[in-house]
Structure formats: structure tokens, C-alpha cells
Amino acid sequence: MKLALAQIAIEGGDVAENVRRATEAIESAAERGADLVALPEIFNVGYFAFETYQRNAEPLHGPTLTRISDLADEHDIGVLAGSIVEDLSETTDETPAEEGLANTSVFFDRDGNRAAVYRKHHLFGYESAEAEMLVPGESLGIAEFEDVTVGMTTCYDLRFPELYRSIAEAGATLVLVPSAWPYPRVEHWRILTQARAIENQCFVAAINGSGSYEDATLLGRSSVYDPWGTLLAGTGDEPEIVIRDIDPERVTRVREEFPAWHDRRR
């Protein structure tokens, strides 16, 4: 499976422009033969544009996710729309949640169908208004795509390894991590992503944004780690699309060769 990480430039509060850039990234990934493309955290609004969250919040059937669904269907490609500010008060489907706003990622299959919804579990409070403005999710995000079981987490979740163990125990062999990770915590970004791959012996792909808003600058560096924790692909801090082959059988081979996964005690 060819996985594309779309590290797009994000303009805080400019939903129309950000969705246009996401559209171009999806179309470019499809042209380059990708099977699945993943977008960054709050790609349409911009993570740090907190003052615009309320007016730019959308339900799952809102214009941003409808556009992404249409693109997945049109280009025959899976898409992780990761994430938007969801207005939970307007969500009336099979994924009930509290009222308020949530940081919500949606996985679309090749036909544009909604295959999984994940609401960020761990809300960031350090120099961030996220924990004050949003409500956390409660359920795991797991999607079946092609021959890969995909797990979904978001940014700050990287600091909580128990979530990743739960996802791996649910069968995930690839975990996608849409993010809005800023400078200066470059080493945290690199080490935590690599550690989640090593300890769960699975692929972990973290998709960051690019650009600045007020005094926050996203560090980019979207990356894919294999089940050994080896860096397979990575970027700098400028906009870029990275495409990498993901072999789900490699997870099985690594776990058989070095059986730490089987030796764990609960």
C-alpha cells in the first residue's frame, strides 16, 4: 500500500484556502499512485486559530468533510481527514458524543464512505486553549483499509503510550497521527513517534502541518517509522507530500523475529 503524508501549509482561520490546499494535495497524491493520503490536524481552520474555532466548527456532514468525501470517491483514494473542529451539537449519526466542540478526524474509503471517526482523547493545555474549548473523545479510531488495519490518534496523544497499546491490541498495524506540532519541541516529536513504533512493533506515520500563526510555528517533519523504529521517510518544515510503501506483512515478520510483542505481561 502506498501511503502519502500531505504536509500542507495552513493559514490560520482561512478555511477556503486551507481546503483548497488539501484538495490539491489529495489530487497530487492520487496522481502519484497513492492508495491512502493523510492530512494534518485541524487542517481547515488551523490549530492555533482558537478564536475562530466556534464560527468555523462543522458537523460531520459539513462542507469540509463533504468535500473530502467527494475527492476520495472521485480519485479512488482513501483519505484520513485529520482533523477538523467538529460541532457535536449538529452530529446526529451513528457516532454520538457530548455537546460542544471536538477535535475530530474522519477516515474515508475509496468510495468516499465514512469508515471511522476519531475524536482526540488528550487535549493540550500547555499554552493552548484546546483543553478549555473542546471535549475529549472516548472511543478508539480503527479503520479497515485494503489489507491494513489503521489506527487513528492525534498530536498530543503521542505522549500517552497506553492509547497506542490499546490500538495495537485492537489489531492496528499502521497508526496515523495528524498533528500541529510546533517549534521548539523537535526532539519530543521525533522520539515519541519513533518510540510508539518500537514499543508496539507497528508502522507509525505522523503528519504535521507547515506554517506560522501569531507566535506559533509548526515544525513540519512529517515522518514514517517502520516496526523496528527505522525512519522510512521524513520531511523538513516546508510543504511537501511524502509517499512511502507500507507492507503490513512486515509487522508480522518483525514480531516473529524479535518477539517482544508476545513476551509482554499484562
Side-chain angles (χ1 to χ4, degrees), residues 43-108:
F43 68 92
N44 63 336
V45 176
Y47 177 84
F48 290 98
F50 301 117
E51 72 279 6
T52 76
Y53 275 21
Q54 189 66 57
R55 71 171 180 267
N56 287 320
E58 302 179 20
L60 297 183
H61 57 271
T64 294
L65 294 181
T66 297
R67 176 61 175 150
I68 300 302
S69 171
D70 291 344
L71 287 165
D73 183 29
E74 178 184 351
H75 295 284
D76 189 32
I77 189 172
V79 182
L80 176 62
S83 54
I84 68 163
V85 180
E86 181 192 2
D87 183 350
L88 296 170
S89 67
E90 296 189 38
T91 293
T92 57
D93 65 354
E94 70 282 1
T95 56
E98 300 180 45
E99 289 191 358
L101 305 179
N103 186 335
T104 302
S105 298
V106 179
F107 193 105
F108 294 100

Side-chain angles (χ1 to χ4, degrees), residues 84 218 225 249:
I84 68 163
L218 301 179
Y225 289 91
E249 293 302 316

Side-chain angles (χ1 to χ4, degrees), residues 88 96-98 102-103 117-123 135-141 163 166:
L88 296 170
E98 300 180 45
N103 186 335
V117 174
Y118 173 71
R119 297 182 176 97
K120 187 176 182 181
H121 279 204
H122 302 94
L123 302 179
V135 298
E138 300 293 340
S139 59
L140 298 181
L163 174 60
S166 296

